[in-house]
Amino acid sequence: MKANGTYFVNDEKKPLRYGEINIIDPPRRKLRGEPLKRGKEAVPVFCGFCGTDFELMKMGSRNELGAKFPEGEKRLINGHEGVVWYPEENRFAIVLIRGGDSFDPTRYTEDESYFEYGCDGADGLFCDKNYFNPDMLLRLPEKYDGITKLPLSLAKRLVFCDPYACAVFQHERMTDIGSAQNFRVVAAREKCGEEKARKIAEEETFARTCIFGLGTTGLFIGDQIRRNRPNAKLLFVARSGEDSEKAVFVKENLKADYLCSAGLGTKETAEKILKRLGGTATVFVGTSASEAESKIAFDEGVLGCNGIYNSFSLGPKVSFDTMPFGFKNHVILASINFTEAHMKTAISILCESRFDELVRLIDKDEFISDPMGAYVNKIYCKGAPLKTAVIWNEDYIDREK
């Protein structure tokens, strides 16, 4: 099957291109133990741009994409956020991005393998049509059954399914680890049994949470904490101004505090964080892709004893002095991705959210005429919106809703 789309190649000058591509359909499995299945044809309707796409483009310019290509191919169709139309069942669907020969695709082991549509070993959404494992074409809530045009406001919300599912997983992981890390201390303090101590430890894990960075991952991790932990003190730290759209959104909708760190050194930033939190952080979530994260948490002492450092950034190195690290009983958490259950939870939450307010559109013709220029000069430039998306197929979108 032939289709037009954008795709990555290894090329120093032009690693991202638009044109006709031969679409392949190798059999894939959703999980270990499940059958290999050929894909079903689906039509991408609405696609979002992710920082991962930008990183893959830069990898292509450095000739580092070979391991990411589908087997036997020398290109990768990008895109892993968005909504598709599934003609065989006359419905819209969210593609479950991650699957493979593994029991849990969030944490595969050495003898397991995985693939990710649009990211690693499997072609993604930025094309006119593609094949996807039918078990990975997830349904929208029942009230949307039968619609043949997707309301634009709903499409904008659903473009966040991938990062929001990651946030659901992050909250789950921090809850698990926080309970295991501190329930014995709580039991000694409260003179209670394990069951009660674990519940108290879970809640106290998020008592003073610092989220460093205000991209989609930071925003959604904060949203998950607020939804599940209404009493948590939540502080976002980022370079955006106090009156920026993102900062205003988290203050109003997440009932969070916000600290603008622009122009501040690590020591001054740390001092302001401690003052705003009213003490050391019980959880420090790094999402800014800056090495300042670990310096502020560890070197400047923002992360408190028995606290969790959740490293969600891709790129910066995390460093710490082993002496205070050991005696303060810190835990470093690092895990990305999600399961089908996390994605379904994300779909349900996003459909009723206000996150469409943070999405801005780029015209498709503008994007495909110069995809690399669009990434550099509009989608990921200074002052770019939190999320940029494109209507890939107008026939399936209702712009009036």
Side-chain angles (χ1 to χ4, degrees):
M1 179 171 73
K2 301 285 187 180
N4 288 320
T6 60
Y7 57 97
F8 294 123
V9 297
N10 278 323
D11 188 287
E12 182 180 352
K13 296 182 178 179
K14 198 175 178 181
L16 177 61
R17 305 174 181 182
Y18 175 80
E20 187 178 71
I21 317 159
N22 181 49
I23 306 296
I24 61 174
D25 183 26
R28 305 186 190 279
R29 59 169 46 94
K30 184 173 70 171
L31 292 171
R32 176 164 282 198
E34 296 191 7
L36 286 165
K37 290 188 177 181
R38 290 282 182 182
K40 296 289 186 178
E41 185 177 320
V43 179
V45 173
F46 192 81
C47 304
F49 299 89
C50 175
T52 299
D53 301 328
F54 195 33
E55 289 301 317
L56 289 170
M57 186 179 82
K58 290 186 282 189
M59 287 175 64
S61 69
R62 300 193 299 265
N63 198 38
E64 296 173 354
L65 278 181
K68 301 289 187 181
F69 297 146
E71 187 175 356
E73 300 295 320
K74 293 184 178 180
R75 88 293 174 279
L76 172 69
I77 300 171
N78 61 307
H80 57 280
E81 300 181 62
V83 189
V84 302
W85 174 254
Y86 184 13
E88 185 171 309
E89 295 189 358
N90 292 311
R91 65 178 175 89
F92 292 100
I94 302 297
V95 180
L96 178 62
I97 296 303
R98 190 176 174 99
D101 189 21
S102 59
F103 291 115
D104 181 348
T106 64
R107 286 182 279 165
Y108 69 98
T109 61
E110 288 78 5
D111 66 335
E112 298 178 338
S113 62
Y114 73 94
F115 68 87
E116 290 183 313
Y117 287 115
C119 296
D120 200 334
D123 290 325
L125 301 181
F126 278 103
C127 55
D128 294 342
K129 51 188 175 180
N130 205 345
Y131 296 108
F132 302 99
N133 183 312
D135 297 336
M136 300 175 72
L137 291 168
L138 304 183
R139 289 185 171 275
L140 302 191
E142 187 177 351
K143 69 179 181 179
Y144 298 110
D145 288 352
I147 64 170
T148 56
K149 281 187 174 289
L150 190 69
L152 179 57
S153 60
L154 178 61
K156 287 180 175 181
R157 295 175 200 143
L158 291 173
V159 80
F160 289 120
C161 286
D162 182 281
Y164 200 95
C166 282
V168 176
F169 177 47
Q170 291 303 303
H171 176 260
E172 178 185 276
R173 288 276 282 154
M174 288 187 288
T175 297
D176 291 346
I177 290 174
S179 173
Q181 164 82 336
N182 290 319
F183 82 90
R184 296 186 187 280
V185 176
V186 172
R189 184 188 76 207
E190 301 295 326
K191 296 179 173 52
C192 63
E194 179 176 337
E195 183 178 357
K196 182 179 179 180
R198 282 186 177 274
K199 289 181 179 179
I200 295 173
E202 280 184 15
E203 198 66 29
E204 291 184 352
T205 294
F206 303 96
R208 295 181 301 277
T209 299
C210 177
I211 299 178
F212 201 87
L214 190 48
T216 53
T217 51
L219 170 62
F220 295 147
I221 290 172
D223 188 69
Q224 266 294 288
I225 292 171
R226 176 57 72 225
R227 286 173 184 270
N228 290 279
R229 313 290 168 184
N231 296 322
K233 185 170 287 188
L234 194 56
L235 172 66
F236 282 88
V237 183
R239 298 180 63 81
S240 301
E242 288 277 355
D243 58 350
S244 66
E245 184 179 37
K246 294 183 290 185
V248 171
F249 189 92
V250 299
K251 287 187 285 188
E252 291 183 353
N253 293 277
L254 276 63
K255 308 303 180 198
D257 195 4
Y258 180 75
L259 171 64
C260 173
S261 62
L264 302 179
T266 55
K267 185 177 182 60
E268 189 177 0
T269 301
E271 290 172 350
K272 289 182 178 294
I273 291 173
L274 293 170
K275 185 175 180 180
R276 292 286 189 92
L277 286 177
T280 54
T282 53
V283 167
F284 189 105
V285 184
T287 69
S288 72
S290 164
E291 291 193 14
E293 295 171 355
S294 66
K295 294 182 184 300
I296 289 169
F298 298 118
D299 296 350
E300 302 297 341
V302 166
L303 184 63
C305 291
N306 308 309
I308 292 174
Y309 182 89
N310 188 346
S311 176
F312 202 88
S313 293
L314 295 177
K317 293 181 179 180
V318 175
S319 60
F320 54 87
D321 185 335
T322 56
M323 180 67 79
F325 176 79
F327 279 94
K328 288 185 177 181
N329 291 295
H330 288 151
V331 169
I332 295 179
L333 159 67
S335 56
I336 298 176
N337 293 303
F338 48 83
T339 65
E340 181 176 352
H342 299 132
M343 181 67 96
K344 289 179 175 178
T345 297
I347 293 170
S348 178
I349 290 173
L350 290 169
C351 283
E352 306 301 323
S353 76
R354 294 177 53 189
F355 291 122
D356 55 300
E357 298 173 12
L358 297 171
V359 180
R360 300 292 178 267
L361 298 180
I362 185 171
D363 181 74
K364 182 183 177 182
D365 289 338
E366 177 186 358
F367 172 59
I368 65 178
S369 66
D370 182 13
M372 288 184 62
Y375 270 83
V376 174
N377 300 317
K378 190 165 186 176
I379 301 170
Y380 291 105
C381 64
K382 184 177 180 180
L386 179 75
K387 174 62 69 175
T388 302
V390 60
I391 298 175
W392 198 263
N393 192 315
E394 285 273 2
D395 293 343
Y396 296 95
I397 289 288
D398 184 350
R399 284 182 175 264
E400 301 302 316
K401 294 184 178 180

